[in-house]
Amino acid sequence: LRGFVPEVLVTHPCAPQDVAGLIDQMARAFGHLPGVNERAQALRDDLAHELASIAAAALAPQPVLYLIWRDPWMTVARDTYISRLLACAGWHTEPDARGGEHGAARYPTLDGGEPWLHGVREVLLSSEPYAFGPQHLHEAARLCPGARVRLVDGRLQAEAAA
């Protein structure tokens, strides 16, 4: 790869608080380009504001099942970025699983027979990596009969910024 690309940048933010370091890393690499340092500072400021707003709100923790795949159903372990992002907003992903640094354990599978599913009151269906759509709402509702099921567009901000 280095034969084609003079510098390879590796990133691995594990929580929203890690994004400031990611912005700094990108600014160091690309700060010589016009507008990069100004945009990086604006992003740092926006991030600090949002993280402070969330912390100030101090929302009571609410459990949520965040589904990322079907056939088999898959969710996220609590040590993934998305789970930590949701936790900032007061959502705690179910099940209470830790997946480690890498590997399949980061994305637990469900068979639909887990007893704790009946206690889930909120289900979020991600738009990526699996493209959940309105046709999947009923399936997810059968998985968690007492839950409100909603679609989440994980691509909305990226498309709006482009």
Side-chain angles (χ1 to χ4, degrees):
L1 183 61
R2 289 200 189 274
F4 298 106
V5 180
E7 184 175 0
V8 176
L9 301 175
V10 177
T11 65
H12 186 65
C14 295
Q17 295 79 0
D18 297 343
V19 173
L22 177 63
I23 294 168
D24 293 343
Q25 182 183 4
M26 294 298 121
R28 283 191 302 275
F30 301 105
H32 63 282
L33 298 172
V36 169
N37 288 317
E38 295 79 9
R39 184 66 183 136
Q41 187 57 53
L43 287 170
R44 279 187 214 98
D45 293 346
D46 288 349
L47 176 65
H49 173 76
E50 292 303 323
L51 290 175
S53 295
I54 290 169
L59 301 170
Q62 249 187 315
V64 64
L65 177 61
Y66 187 86
L67 294 171
I68 62 165
W69 202 262
R70 67 182 278 279
D71 201 18
W73 292 107
M74 294 174 73
T75 186
V76 294
R78 287 200 180 158
D79 53 355
T80 58
Y81 183 90
I82 188 62
S83 183
R84 289 176 174 151
L85 176 66
L86 291 167
C88 285
W91 296 93
H92 292 277
T93 55
E94 295 292 340
D96 184 4
R98 305 293 185 278
E101 289 278 325
H102 50 78
R106 295 175 55 76
Y107 307 100
T109 59
L110 309 172
D111 64 22
E114 293 82 357
W116 58 266
L117 288 171
H118 291 281
V120 172
R121 297 292 168 249
E122 294 283 342
V123 176
L124 302 177
L125 301 178
S126 170
S127 63
E128 56 86 27
Y130 186 89
F132 283 107
Q135 70 275 20
H136 300 110
L137 293 170
H138 186 67
E139 281 183 70
R142 283 196 316 266
L143 187 67
C144 301
R148 175 173 63 165
V149 182
R150 295 185 278 172
L151 298 171
V152 175
D153 189 349
R155 297 172 294 194
L156 182 62
Q157 292 299 328
E159 290 173 2

